Amino acid sequence: MVICLKVHEYQAKEIFKKYGVPVPDGALSRTPAEAKETARRIGAPVVVKAQVHAGGRGKGGGIKLAATPDDAESVARKILGMRLVTHQTGPEGTLVKSVLVERASDVEREMYLGMVIDRERSQVAVISSPEGGVEIESVALKSPEKVHKAWVDPLVGLMPYQARQICFGLGLAGQPFKDGVNCILNLYRLFVSEDATLAEINPLAVTRDGKLIAIDAKINLDDDAAFRHNDRPDYRDPNEEDPLEVEAKTHNLSYIKLSGTVGCMVNGAGLAMATMDLIKHCGGEPANFLDVGGAASSDAVEKAFKILTSDKDVRCVLINIFGGIVRCDRVATGVVEAIGKAGDAGMPIVVRLEGTNAKEGIDILRGSGLNFHTATGFHEAAQKAVDLSRGGA
Amino acid sequence: MAILLTKGTKTIVQGMGKEGQFHAERMLQCGTKLVGCVSPGKGGSDILGLRAFNTVADAVNATGANASIIFVPAPFAADAAIEAIDASLSLVVLITEGIPPMDMVKVKDKLNRSKTHLIGPNCPGIITPGIGKLGIMPVEIFAPGRCGVISRSGTLTYEVSAQLTKAGVGQSTCMGIGGDPIIGTTHRDAMRLFNDDPDTDMVVMIGEIGGTDEEVAARYIKERMKKPVVAFIAGSTAPKGKRMGHAGAIIAEGKGTAAEKKEALRGAGVTVCDSPAEIGATARKVLDGLSG
């Protein structure tokens, strides 16, 4: 699974600046007083923008215009500390801890520019549209003729003629056209040099005085390429992540919390998803996705078990391990140790071990004196777990 | 016969670190024809009884190898894969997990201009029961037979293969094509190979949410496939919103959900299993239907 690292707008804009993609003057502020000071320094009117990863911030009340430095202060006071709810955050929203205060641009027209790796073509795709400032999905749905795509030959890179073609398609002319070509070529340079998986400007604007400027900025970085970027600041924001998911990551476990009652611990992402599907098929609801990975030690299994059972909604745990490189006896040892330390699991546990050393694993579980439900069939295991999660036997 | 990994396959191992050695030993134990290994700087020495070479080209010249399996760590894996492609090997299996997608963009570009079949990355590899394995899967769960298996995942491939074996459905070749966004051999590529293989009577295909690889395969099946296909798509219950962002959704034209993939496959005449526990039994029924 490819892991993308999301960065905040203000960080994305710092990266934009480094590569010559034009952005408005601005600075990050963590207090209303700082916001006021920034507004005074760069000159009002300013825009105060909540720094959270989710999209749809404007509609949720996380982006506000301020005419004076005093306005900036009072607007920042409202936004800082609020739980911003958008269509991407879920109903609980995200706590806003900082705002970007930027000089407001006098916008004449808004466009869209984005770059992404197209998995079907195995090339970088440049997507552009003369309609910006709205969700590009809806533009593509309503008027697909307004979405232009170009693909980059990895051997030669993005060619100037392609950038010109895109700018003609955006309807640019004169100085904004020249700036547009540079902006596109620079954004591609950024995409490759920084190992991005997504770089997006929505909207890319032309101001009334003919300047091209990136009003918003979004960058996702490829975590797998981190080895090439040892000098990179730590962009991770624990405020944006589920604490259990963060805890899981530190133990090399892949965990995503869901809303059901059957906790699952599985090795391999595909089998983990299939296990969730089977729980649903048997009439239950999975509480999580948890992949203990390819080289799960008994220590990792112990940590995984702790994370699973700290979810208050979990009524029953299903452990489904298909041994390959992962040996079932090691997994069994981890589970026994985890429960032994806790004294009692506090809930029924269904274990299914298959593959390498499955028999030895089952023997360890049976010999532990702890109360496990074992199952041999995939369906049998899932059905048992679903029944037990409902208090049945 | 079988596909890609056959009696004539002579393989070298690239990357003889701890993991490479561990699996090389197991590959040899099940009769796989390994003829050497590549370990830059250690040319001339012996590792596990395998002659080591400094470069893939040296190894090919000396041994006549036509395949490679790669265990090289992610930062250097693209380089190793391109070295294997440049040596004109006909089969390259890339096990390594965590290769940056932009590195794979380069590998894929090179691959498209070659005659090499690349399997992976981030995959369990390929096994032809009775002949050998180029991969990390446990061999006990497989049995020789006439059903081809294509899968994007690792352990789910084991689960399904074990189900098939238990149901008495042996396998011609099983292939884990890998779960990364950019992979060498796709579902469609593998489907085409099984379609042309005289020793494969049917195919089991295990897909996953994300991308459009399964939809592309469905199109091929509808137009060209002469053999029955049984499929399962993992991820019906996976949460939405773990997507790549706006531009990514555009590229996929809004596709990629389990429901859409199942519909595309059903529309192509594929028998789609809703439960991952029923794949073996379903394949058995389809196979019985063929002989009866």
Side-chain angles (χ1 to χ4, degrees), chain A residues 189-257:
Chain A
R189 203 159 51 82
L190 178 159
F191 191 92
V192 175
S193 310
E194 296 290 333
D195 278 299
T197 55
L198 171 81
E200 195 176 55
I201 309 176
N202 190 20
L204 175 66
V206 178
T207 61
R208 269 180 228 289
D209 53 353
K211 283 206 180 81
L212 190 87
I213 201 153
I215 300 289
D216 197 3
K218 189 169 178 179
I219 298 177
N220 291 355
L221 298 169
D222 172 15
D223 231 11
D224 282 336
F227 66 88
R228 280 199 277 258
H229 305 280
N230 290 327
D231 53 342
R232 183 177 274 170
D234 187 8
Y235 287 126
R236 224 168 284 276
D237 182 354
N239 183 41
E240 292 277 350
E241 298 170 63
D242 181 283
L244 282 181
E245 291 178 19
V246 175
E247 165 80 8
K249 232 179 258 174
T250 60
H251 302 294
N252 280 324
L253 303 166
S254 178
Y255 171 87
I256 297 167
K257 187 179 156 26

Side-chain angles (χ1 to χ4, degrees), chain B residues 64 100 148 167 183 189 199 209 255 265 281:
Chain B
I183 53 174
D189 299 336
D199 294 320
I209 48 162
K255 287 183 195 142
L265 288 164

Side-chain angles (χ1 to χ4, degrees), chain A residues 211-371:
Chain A
K211 283 206 180 81
L212 190 87
I213 201 153
I215 300 289
D216 197 3
K218 189 169 178 179
I219 298 177
N220 291 355
L221 298 169
D222 172 15
D223 231 11
D224 282 336
F227 66 88
R228 280 199 277 258
H229 305 280
N230 290 327
D231 53 342
R232 183 177 274 170
D234 187 8
Y235 287 126
R236 224 168 284 276
D237 182 354
N239 183 41
E240 292 277 350
E241 298 170 63
D242 181 283
L244 282 181
E245 291 178 19
V246 175
E247 165 80 8
K249 232 179 258 174
T250 60
H251 302 294
N252 280 324
L253 303 166
S254 178
Y255 171 87
I256 297 167
K257 187 179 156 26
L258 304 170
S259 54
T261 55
V262 183
C264 351
M265 188 199 301
V266 188
N267 64 327
L271 189 58
M273 280 195 279
T275 305
M276 288 159 50
D277 295 347
L278 190 53
I279 287 169
K280 181 101 177 175
H281 190 78
C282 290
E285 288 289 340
N288 65 280
F289 166 93
L290 199 165
D291 173 10
V292 288
S297 60
S298 53
D299 186 48
V301 170
E302 198 186 314
K303 293 283 181 345
F305 193 80
K306 252 184 220 158
I307 289 167
L308 267 190
T309 49
S310 63
D311 177 352
K312 298 279 170 280
D313 298 330
V314 173
R315 297 277 168 272
C316 174
V317 172
L318 170 60
I319 300 176
N320 184 22
I321 301 291
F322 209 109
I325 314 173
V326 174
R327 290 166 27 200
C328 292
D329 53 331
R330 258 199 243 170
V331 174
T333 306
V335 173
V336 169
E337 272 171 23
I339 300 170
K341 275 182 200 164
D344 176 24
M347 63 186 78
I349 300 162
V350 179
V351 188
R352 178 200 181 225
L353 303 175
E354 270 276 8
T356 312
N357 294 1
K359 260 198 73 182
E360 290 86 337
I362 299 277
D363 288 344
I364 289 171
L365 294 179
R366 292 213 172 118
S368 70
L370 295 164
N371 188 22

Side-chain angles (χ1 to χ4, degrees), chain A residues 19 115 124 152 154 157-158 185-197 199 225 228-229 232, chain B residues 102-103 106:
Chain A
Y19 285 88
M115 295 185 187
V124 175
V152 184
L158 183 67
L185 293 172
N186 285 338
L187 191 68
Y188 179 72
R189 203 159 51 82
L190 178 159
F191 191 92
V192 175
S193 310
E194 296 290 333
D195 278 299
T197 55
R228 280 199 277 258
H229 305 280
R232 183 177 274 170
Chain B
M102 280 305 278
D103 287 9
K106 288 180 195 160

